[in-house]
Each structure stands twice: as C-alpha cells, then as structure tokens.
Amino acid sequence: MKAINVHAFGGPETCIIDDVEIPEPAAGEARVKVAFAGVNFIDVYMRNGTYARSHTYKTPLPMVIGMEASGTVDAIGEGVTDLRVGQRVAFCLLRGSYAEFVAVPAWKLVPVPDDVPLEIAAALMLQGCTAHYLSHSAFPLQKGQSCLVHAGAGGVGQLLIQLAKNLGATVFTTVSTQEKVEIARNRGADHCILYRDVDFREELMKLTSGKGVDVVYDSVGKTTIMSSIRCVRRRGLCVLFGASSGVVDAIEPLSLAEAGSVFFTRPHLADYMATADEIRGRAGDLFRLMKEKLLSVAIDTVFPLADAASAHRYIEGGKTRGKLLLKIEP
Ligand code: NDP
C-alpha cells in the first residue's frame, strides 16, 4: 500500500510516499481503509524529531506518521465483536494514519453516524477531542467564567472557542492578522487581540480590568507562556498544551507564585482519551453538537496523500484557517 513513511528526521521533504506492507489486524484490532487522514501540528514534531527522545511518542525510523483518520472497517481481528466490515469509523492513534490502511485497536474506533461526512469525522477527532478535553476536563468551564485561547483561528482554536461559548464562558483570543480576527469572531470569540500589534497581556489586563482570566489555553508555547501565566487570575489555571512557536522546557515555580498562586498543567491527549467510553463520549458529544448546529468545522484544504509535504509546509507556515486533510484515493 502507499503510505507517507519518514526515513530520517528533517523538514517537510522527508514526507516521502513509499510502498509498505498492508498491516494485518491482530487480536483486538480492526483494519481501516482510510478515506481521509487529518494533518495536525503534532505530525510536524513527529517528523522533525522534536519527540525523538520522548517515551510517550515513540518515534522509531522509518515510521508512517499521522495521528487521526476516518474510513471504513476493512478486516476484523480475533475477538472483536462490536464492529463490522464496511462500518464507517474514525480514530486517533500514536502514528500510522497517513496510509491507505491502518490496523487500530478496536476500542479506539468511533462509529461515525450516517449524517456525518467522513471528512468532517477525520477533522473532528484529534483537534475536536482536544478542544473537548481542554474545555470539559482539564478546566471544566462554567457559565460566567472567562478564558484566553491562543491561535483562535487555528484548528484547535476555532473548535475551542465554540465549545467555550457553548459552556457560557467569555472568550478572549489572540490571532496574527485581521483576516484571522474575522474567523475567530465568526466562531464566537468575544475579544480578539492582534498580538503582533499590541502586547497581548497588557491588552487582556485592560479588557478584564486587571483581573485576568480563569484559564489560559496556550498552544503556542515558547513565545507566549511566561505572559500567559501572568494573564491568569489569582489561583486560576494555565494549560500549556502545544508548542507551535517552540517547546517550553522550563517553568520557574516562583513565577507561578508571583502570578497569583497560579496552577499549571501540561496535558497530553491520550490521558484524556484513556478508555473506549471516554473516546466515544467525547466524539459523540462533538457529533451531537454539530447536528444541533452548535459546532461548525472548517475544512481549510484537502491535499492528496502524495502531497503531505505541502500540507506540512502550510501548517508550519502558520497559514491554517481550519482543518488540513489528506485524501486517500479509493
Ligand atoms: P493550528 O492550526 O493552531 O496552527 C498553529 C497556529 O499557531 C498558527 O496558525 C499560528 O496562528 C500560531 N502560531 C504562533 N506562533 C507560531 C509559529 N512560530 N509557527 C507557527 N504557528 C504559530 O495547529 P493545531 O490546531 O493543529 O495545533 C495547535 C497546537 O496544539 C499545536 O502546538 C499542537 O501540537 C497542540 N496540540 C496538543 C494536544 C495535546 O493534547 N497536548 C493535542 C492537539 C494539538 P496565528 O497566525 O494566529 O499566530
């Protein structure tokens, strides 16, 4: 089968289309014929070696990258009783989705309702479940609370703004351009801060009369984190969940005290998608919200599988205004 198989850590040009063996589903697994694979910022870290020393994201080379997809069940391993061949499914996994076929543990597969297109299901799994766990579990937002969402026009950002608004929160967001202000505003953001024109912390403090927000969701990392911590209200929470501008490798504990006894967490999606019930619960909520028109998913661009390198250049260039997908030709 065709797959994007990375042989050496490096730039987008290492996204090479290769012939690899079609995986056989082991006991407890199902094989999925992939229709759409989602492209996420984390795929960049897997590809360029940022996570080469991480125990969580084991990165053996060569490796087929890609952490989410949708498609149809194509073969079923021993002991799998709740799935059938031909069933439409979506999933997140550690790697392997930039491919024509993937073997996936059955408990990680989410049945996709008939009225949800497969491209939407692929677009919702990783970024949608991330936005869901951030707003419902890492810091369960309540009516009347406030949050700051960085990169509000990005993939996770657009979904997180919508979920936070559905929960009744006031949403502040940072974006780089006026075009992105419009996108974030259309998703429901109450206040958009053009962080290239103004100091985002000063602006947020002005807008909150010096109080700060209950929670900051920071996906940008290196260039924002120290100011993000100081945007949090006394005893609020700073959630660092990404590294779009670079990895944060140290936080001085005293900086949390000085910011007002702020709590700090660095969550990982897999810990919030730890059981079949949790995965299906989060995905089910997202599908329901879509049906009720309380959540929209923007597909930015669909690239052919062979052009994964262009998708990587696009996301690394900060150009995303929604979801990037790879289409796998039937
Ligand atoms: P996005 O679509 O949000 O793209 C990244 C955005 O970050 C850009 O569009 C840009 O928006 C902003 N940005 C700021 N500085 C930079 C920079 N130096 N280079 C590039 N972009 C920059 O990506 P995703 O929605 O896929 O992911 C967002 C983050 O969340 C990633 O870091 C990802 O790894 C992380 N993540 C973490 C998870 C977890 O569980 N911990 C799970 C899923 C994602 P602007 O132009 O407005 O600045």
Side-chain angles (χ1 to χ4, degrees):
M1 68 169 183
K2 297 288 181 208
I4 299 295
N5 203 14
V6 170
H7 287 256
F9 297 127
E13 70 286 353
T14 58
C15 290
I16 292 166
I17 191 133
D18 216 353
D19 285 309
V20 300
E21 287 292 311
I22 295 181
E24 282 306 318
E29 290 183 342
R31 185 171 65 206
V32 178
K33 184 173 180 354
V34 178
F36 294 93
V39 177
N40 295 288
F41 217 102
I42 193 165
D43 305 339
V44 170
Y45 313 142
M46 298 291 274
R47 185 210 75 216
N48 68 16
T50 301
Y51 287 154
R53 286 200 301 273
S54 157
H55 293 297
T56 309
Y57 302 101
K58 299 168 188 79
T59 51
L61 291 173
M63 101 189 127
V64 177
I65 57 170
M67 290 191 148
E68 75 181 329
S70 63
T72 47
V73 174
D74 163 76
I76 288 178
E78 205 185 305
V80 177
T81 52
D82 62 344
L83 292 167
R84 57 178 169 75
V85 169
Q87 191 168 356
R88 287 156 26 100
V89 289
F91 60 89
C92 292
L93 84 176
L94 193 56
R95 64 177 161 270
S97 73
Y98 289 14
E100 289 180 302
F101 296 91
V102 198
V104 185
W107 67 272
K108 292 192 175 184
L109 290 171
V110 175
V112 176
D114 289 343
D115 53 357
V116 177
L118 283 179
E119 52 267 59
I120 299 292
L124 262 187
M125 279 309 293
L126 197 144
Q127 291 173 332
C129 289
T130 298
H132 192 280
Y133 90 71
L134 290 170
S135 55
H136 288 69
S137 307
F139 187 98
L141 278 167
Q142 289 172 19
K143 195 169 162 41
Q145 289 187 317
S146 58
C147 63
L148 171 62
V149 175
H150 285 299
V156 175
Q158 288 191 45
L159 295 164
L160 183 51
I161 290 172
Q162 295 177 76
L163 294 183
K165 288 309 298 174
N166 288 341
L167 291 165
T170 300
V171 179
F172 300 83
T173 189
T174 64
V175 288
S176 61
T177 63
Q178 191 58 43
E179 186 206 348
K180 289 188 176 186
V181 167
E182 297 311 318
I183 294 171
R185 224 174 243 147
N186 284 335
R187 293 304 180 206
D190 298 284
H191 304 277
C192 299
I193 303 173
L194 277 163
Y195 70 88
R196 285 188 184 155
D197 298 350
V198 294
D199 178 298
F200 75 82
R201 179 180 175 272
E202 273 177 23
E203 191 64 18
L204 181 102
M205 285 303 173
K206 247 188 255 163
L207 290 166
T208 59
S209 310
K211 264 180 59 194
V213 286
D214 293 286
V215 57
V216 176
Y217 299 110
D218 189 337
S219 62
V220 173
K222 198 166 187 164
T223 57
T224 47
I225 192 62
M226 293 319 297
S227 293
S228 290
I229 288 170
R230 292 170 56 240
C231 286
V232 178
R233 66 147 164 87
R234 177 174 288 154
R235 301 198 311 248
L237 178 69
C238 182
V239 186
L240 169 66
F241 70 99
S244 301
S245 69
V247 174
V248 175
D249 42 27
I251 294 288
E252 190 62 55
L254 200 57
S255 65
L256 301 174
E258 284 169 350
S261 303
V262 162
F263 291 83
F264 181 84
T265 183
R266 175 45 175 107
H268 171 44
L269 177 64
D271 291 320
Y272 289 86
M273 301 269 272
T275 63
D277 282 350
E278 200 164 40
I279 295 170
R280 292 182 184 198
R282 292 195 197 285
D285 260 5
L286 296 167
F287 293 147
R288 177 183 53 77
L289 288 167
M290 271 196 55
K291 203 180 270 181
E292 292 170 3
K293 306 223 176 307
L294 291 169
L295 185 68
S296 322
V297 185
I299 308 276
D300 179 317
T301 309
V302 181
F303 295 85
L305 177 66
D307 205 12
S310 298
H312 277 219
R313 284 190 192 98
Y314 196 89
I315 199 165
E316 280 185 274
K319 293 187 187 137
T320 37
R321 288 148 187 80
K323 188 71 199 178
L324 303 185
L325 294 172
L326 301 177
K327 186 174 195 301
I328 287 75
E329 291 304 332

